[in-house]
Amino acid sequence: MQASSPFSSKATIVGLLGERDLLLPALVHEALAANARVKYFFTLLQLARAHADAVDATVPDLRREREVAGVKDEALDDVIAGSRRGRDADYRVPLVRTIIERILDDVDAMLAPLRAASPSRFDAGTATDLERRRAALARACTTNGRSEVTKDVLARLTSSDRDRGDSAHLLVFDLHKGVDAVAASLATEDVDGAKTFGLDEADRALVRAFMKGVHETEGAKLGHPGLGTMATRRGPTLILENDIGETSAHVVVVHVEGLRAVVTSTDVHVQRLAFFREMLDGFGVEWADVQSRAARELQEAGVFYECVGTLVAGERAELERFLTHLGSRLVFLIDWNRARKALRAFVAKAKSLELLAWAASEGHGHRGFLEMGGAQLVFDAMAAVIRTPFRFGERLDDVLGEPGATEFLRFTLRTCSIGLQGGRSRSLVRAEIRAELTKRYRRAGDRLLGPVADHAAILREIARAVRAQLLALGGAGGASREALAAAARDHERRGDEQVVLLRSIALRVPEAAPYLRLVELADDAADALEEAAFLLSLVPPAVPGAFPVAPFAALGDFAVAAADAYLGSVTSARRADPDDLQGTLDAFDTVVATEHRMDDAERTFLATLARQEAVEAKLFVLASRISGAIERAVDALTRATLLLRDRVALPGPYA
């Protein structure tokens, strides 16, 4: 095992001559190459351990990752397949001693530019501390042979959890930050905002293409740190690196050689990697499957995930278009997971991802939404619009329905981004969002009135069945009264299903209680009409000539008229323009007028019936109860209609 690399010795000599910065460009080049290699070695060890713990698992193939990292030893491709559990907590990992030596060599290569840099470029005390950490890790990371290594040593090499102590993985993270800082101080040229050194004119054209995309959308980050780009050349390869945001594990590196571009993205959130890949659809990028294996096999290790995609362009113009598109997508990765969680408070998981994809495709992004408060912005708007407080845990799609909630959140994402980028005041943006929510909230009754309307349509069928039974008493023919009673019973049961549906909604959205009360009143009418239908099936087939059939049958007309008018009022309320309620209110008046006429008709019938001495007691009782049931039904419909009128006439559907 090497204690140091040739770079550290050379840097020491140059430092003694007082010209330590002379070697920095070459050392930075090698440090960046070492960083790519060492990440490959970490992934190799992590997957080797995972395979040893589950030998029957599919063996991951890291050949492409090895080649992209510049590691030429093909024997490493067999390491994962050959890894097994050893004695106690040991693991048998082929070539593990060689791998550890290579890791420490790459750590030395990353330390070299930090050792060589003058104090103005990198803090000497920090460099000393990093060297001390390297030495401690070298002492701790020993093996029991060429292929045996303990569980603890593997953790000291690959762990990314700082609470569990230092590791080579964490040291490389910190070294990479330092190398980037030194590289930035070395930049000899600014190419459209990218810090570069060692480029030729062909490289600059590619960097400009990439930065064109970055500049197209960078306004959407709204001052958030990130999107810093560095570019350099290593042999035949142009290397572009973008830091995305503040998270050390979240970077995008592009290796361009000829017409071939290899994109490597690392992230602590595997979902965001999938989102990143989707944003590059349409360019024929071939993605390796490292991402999904990391999510399945490395989750317990708490490490970052990595995906690698390769594009082979047909011509230079295609390569430049790809780099421009890639650069334009990076801003939409900043704070992506935070935005996803905020949107999940209001819509389902899949819909939150669709919203983020839409915001990126439209160029708005989600940073404006987060700058305005994220989820709290919407909760505050709900509290301002809805008189009953909107509680955490209740989703917006419960209130507005999925389409309404989605469209409102699109409006919110767009308005926040455009507003803040355009310099509008935050109070104005909030006012616009609340106005939009108010408009959509007043229409939200349509969703809750859906089950009410379905129930009203069923109720009308029951009323028609009752009228048909009454007409049959007068010899109008048609279906038997028993069949009509059975049909009424079936309709009434279907109506109960709508009541149950609204009750389930009210459990999630207490503000929907008025609509539940509305349908419960209408269901009282359905119950009363179904009772009338049943009683009518008990009336003797032939009634005496003294029985007042005509006024009795007329009661069915009133039941149908009330049911028709009630259904009309519900339908009108669903279609009503919040600023023009006259048509809806007219429909309510019809129901009320029908109820008054029904009262008069029932009294007239009962008075006529009471004067007929030839009507036997059984028929008298049945007819009285039937007329009373119809009257109760019309009365319940009137009360339901008045409740609906109050809901529609007030500023919001839950007011």
Side-chain angles (χ1 to χ4, degrees):
M1 183 181 300
Q2 292 178 324
S4 62
S5 73
F7 293 99
S8 60
S9 300
K10 187 177 290 188
T12 300
I13 295 172
V14 174
L16 291 173
L17 296 175
E19 300 292 345
R20 291 183 296 175
D21 287 351
L22 290 177
L23 285 177
L24 282 181
L27 294 176
V28 167
H29 276 298
E30 178 54 31
L32 293 174
N35 181 64
R37 291 192 300 267
V38 77
K39 285 182 178 179
Y40 159 75
F41 287 124
F42 290 149
T43 301
L44 181 65
L45 289 178
Q46 290 160 349
L47 291 176
R49 175 179 174 179
H51 182 70
D53 289 334
V55 177
D56 58 344
T58 302
V59 179
D61 181 7
L62 292 186
R63 179 182 60 82
R64 175 181 291 185
E65 288 78 359
R66 175 180 60 76
E67 292 174 348
V68 170
V71 179
K72 300 185 182 303
D73 188 353
E74 296 181 0
L76 295 169
D77 295 340
D78 298 324
V79 166
I80 297 174
S83 297
R84 297 289 187 272
R85 288 296 299 266
R87 300 184 304 274
D88 301 325
D90 290 352
Y91 288 83
R92 295 186 61 84
V93 180
L95 302 177
V96 68
R97 178 182 292 177
T98 298
I99 294 171
I100 293 175
E101 290 174 352
R102 297 285 294 274
I103 288 173
L104 291 173
D105 284 347
D106 287 331
V107 167
D108 285 336
M110 296 182 73
L111 273 167
L114 308 186
R115 293 187 181 110
S118 61
S120 63
R121 298 185 188 277
F122 193 78
D123 178 65
T126 302
T128 300
D129 181 62
L130 292 169
E131 289 179 334
R132 188 181 303 115
R133 289 170 61 187
R134 187 269 182 211
L137 286 167
R139 290 191 297 270
C141 295
T142 59
T143 63
N144 299 326
R146 289 190 58 81
S147 63
E148 291 188 359
V149 63
T150 66
K151 174 182 177 182
D152 290 339
V153 168
L154 286 177
R156 290 297 299 271
L157 289 167
T158 64
S159 172
S160 62
D161 185 353
R162 293 189 186 273
D163 292 337
R164 295 169 60 183
D166 199 12
S167 71
H169 200 164
L170 294 171
L171 177 57
V172 167
F173 268 138
D174 296 338
L175 285 169
H176 193 189
K177 291 180 183 178
V179 171
D180 280 348
V182 173
S185 73
L186 287 175
T188 58
E189 184 179 9
D190 184 293
V191 178
D192 290 352
K195 296 180 178 180
T196 72
F197 55 94
L199 304 188
D200 58 28
E201 191 54 39
D203 293 334
R204 294 186 188 95
L206 295 177
V207 173
R208 290 189 187 99
F210 181 80
M211 294 306 297
K212 176 184 176 183
V214 171
H215 294 322
E216 283 177 356
T217 57
E218 65 183 349
K221 75 174 183 175
L222 294 167
H224 190 281
L227 300 187
T229 302
M230 293 177 54
T232 185
R233 171 162 286 278
R234 185 184 71 204
T237 305
L238 168 67
I239 303 174
L240 291 160
E241 180 179 343
N242 190 282
D243 62 9
I244 308 294
E246 295 178 305
T247 305
S248 58
H250 194 196
V251 297
V252 169
V253 179
V254 187
H255 294 76
V256 182
E257 187 172 340
L259 295 177
R260 182 173 180 259
V262 179
V263 180
T264 303
S265 179
T266 61
D267 204 328
V268 294
H269 301 296
V270 69
Q271 302 98 324
R272 183 161 50 186
L273 282 180
F275 180 79
F276 173 64
R277 289 172 55 158
E278 290 171 3
M279 288 196 296
L280 300 184
D281 284 349
F283 279 91
V285 179
E286 182 182 347
W287 294 99
D289 195 31
V290 176
Q291 170 200 338
S292 60
R293 290 198 303 268
R296 183 177 64 252
E297 301 166 9
L298 304 182
Q299 191 170 10
E300 292 183 359
V303 300
F304 64 87
Y305 305 112
E306 179 181 272
C307 67
V308 179
T310 302
L311 170 79
V312 179
E315 57 183 4
R316 175 87 173 190
E318 179 187 354
L319 176 61
E320 292 184 3
R321 285 195 300 272
F322 172 71
L323 291 175
T324 297
H325 181 74
L326 172 61
S328 72
R329 300 300 90 189
L330 300 182
V331 70
F332 305 121
L333 300 176
I334 297 175
D335 273 346
W336 180 88
N337 199 56
R338 186 176 151 213
R340 179 181 67 87
K341 290 180 179 179
L343 293 171
R344 280 288 306 277
F346 308 109
V347 291
K349 176 182 178 180
K351 191 60 63 175
S352 68
L353 297 178
E354 288 179 18
L355 283 165
L356 290 170
W358 171 86
S361 67
E362 294 294 315
H364 304 310
H366 48 266
R367 280 288 310 143
F369 170 61
L370 295 176
E371 281 290 311
M372 287 297 300
Q376 193 60 49
L377 170 71
V378 178
F379 282 120
D380 289 345
M382 294 298 292
V385 173
I386 305 174
R387 286 187 171 87
T388 301
F390 191 70
R391 289 171 282 278
F392 281 87
E394 296 173 5
R395 290 217 311 243
L396 190 63
D397 54 2
D398 283 331
V399 178
L400 301 183
E402 183 180 278
T406 299
E407 287 304 313
F408 170 71
L409 290 172
R410 284 186 176 185
F411 176 90
T412 300
L413 289 164
R414 179 174 60 249
T415 301
C416 289
S417 180
I418 293 176
L420 293 185
Q421 289 188 66
R424 294 182 192 170
S425 69
R426 294 184 177 228
S427 60
L428 177 58
V429 173
R430 290 191 189 94
E432 291 175 341
I433 290 170
R434 291 180 183 182
E436 178 68 14
L437 181 58
T438 299
K439 180 173 66 177
R440 292 188 176 278
Y441 183 65
R442 295 182 70 174
R443 296 174 183 169
D446 175 72
R447 187 177 75 91
L448 295 175
L449 281 173
V452 175
D454 292 341
H455 184 276
I458 293 170
L459 192 151
R460 181 178 62 178
E461 295 304 313
I462 301 173
R464 288 178 173 178
V466 170
R467 182 175 65 178
Q469 287 179 296
L470 289 168
L471 291 174
L473 288 175
S480 70
R481 284 182 283 129
E482 290 77 8
L484 290 168
R489 183 172 61 255
D490 290 340
H491 289 316
E492 192 273 337
R493 288 172 180 170
R494 288 198 297 117
D496 286 342
E497 294 175 2
Q498 302 304 315
V499 178
V500 171
L501 174 60
L502 269 171
R503 281 177 181 156
S504 68
I505 294 175
L507 287 174
R508 301 193 309 273
V509 186
E511 292 79 8
Y515 286 88
L516 174 60
R517 176 58 180 154
L518 172 65
V519 82
E520 286 176 339
L521 283 173
D523 200 52
D524 289 342
D527 290 340
L529 289 174
E530 193 277 328
E531 179 186 354
F534 168 71
L535 294 173
L536 278 165
S537 70
L538 303 179
V539 173
V543 296
F547 187 83
V549 173
F552 191 39
L555 299 180
D557 293 333
F558 288 111
V560 171
D564 284 344
Y566 170 67
L567 176 59
S569 67
V570 174
T571 303
S572 180
R574 294 186 71 186
R575 294 195 302 257
D577 183 340
D579 297 323
D580 183 11
L581 301 175
Q582 192 56 49
T584 305
L585 297 177
D586 288 343
F588 300 151
D589 289 340
T590 301
V591 179
V592 174
T594 300
E595 192 268 340
H596 293 323
R597 292 167 58 203
M598 173 64 200
D599 287 342
D600 294 339
E602 183 199 16
R603 288 171 183 171
T604 298
F605 165 70
L606 289 176
T608 303
L609 181 64
R611 288 195 294 269
Q612 306 301 321
E613 296 180 359
V615 177
E616 62 180 26
K618 173 183 176 182
L619 183 56
F620 184 93
V621 171
L622 284 174
S624 299
R625 290 188 60 184
I626 290 167
S627 65
I630 296 174
E631 192 278 332
R632 291 198 308 275
V634 174
D635 183 63
L637 288 176
T638 302
R639 287 184 283 122
T641 302
L642 291 173
L643 179 59
L644 180 59
R645 181 196 65 186
D646 292 342
R647 298 276 73 77
V648 173
L650 289 171
Y654 308 128

